Amino acid sequence: MNQEAVARFCLDLPGAREDYKWGGVRVFSVAGSKMFALLNLSGDTLSFKVDKELFLGHVDRPGIRPAPYLARAFWISMNAPYPLGGEELQDLLRRSHQLVVAKLPKRSQVGLLL
């Protein structure tokens, strides 16, 4: 997947929106400000949240590292070309979205769960 395919996929998830922050980062979020993915405007870095139990397994893979400033919240980061296949990357982005949605109040989750 390339940068635009990742952006389109993220925006197709329920309730997803896009903002530009920090001088060059596309931020994909739900419920206003709950981030689930970050994409550098230069297109070279993608970061997103993963399951706590799988974090160490992901960062052991070639081309994947803990995301700067967000690793304590179990975010990973990778440079383009992404070291994951398109289907696996979509599954992980979908899971990141759902991890964030699961932390929202129950009334806010309506329509956002897959």
Side-chain angles (χ1 to χ4, degrees):
M1 290 180 75
N2 63 21
Q3 176 187 7
E4 285 309 311
V6 168
R8 276 193 311 274
F9 181 79
C10 287
L11 289 172
D12 284 343
L13 293 169
R17 57 178 278 201
E18 176 182 19
D19 292 315
Y20 293 86
K21 295 184 181 181
W22 307 304
V25 178
R26 294 171 82 173
V27 178
F28 300 95
S29 59
V30 292
S33 63
K34 302 297 183 184
M35 303 183 307
F36 69 90
L38 304 172
L39 189 58
N40 191 311
L41 278 179
S42 62
D44 61 349
T45 306
L46 171 65
S47 302
F48 52 89
K49 188 173 186 64
V50 295
D51 287 292
K52 178 180 179 178
E53 301 80 23
L54 302 176
F55 177 77
L56 290 176
H58 285 299
V59 297
D60 278 346
R61 296 172 69 176
I64 301 175
R65 64 189 179 285
Y69 309 107
L70 294 169
R72 70 177 186 273
F74 308 105
W75 280 60
I76 60 172
S77 182
M78 60 190 75
N79 289 338
Y82 307 125
L84 305 173
E87 189 173 316
E88 183 179 10
L89 185 55
Q90 286 180 351
D91 288 343
L92 288 172
L93 288 167
R94 189 178 299 112
R95 181 66 184 148
S96 177
H97 176 270
Q98 290 301 285
L99 288 168
V100 171
V101 168
K103 296 275 186 174
L104 297 173
K106 295 290 182 198
R107 68 179 185 277
S108 300
Q109 292 179 11
V110 175
L112 298 177
L113 292 171
L114 295 175

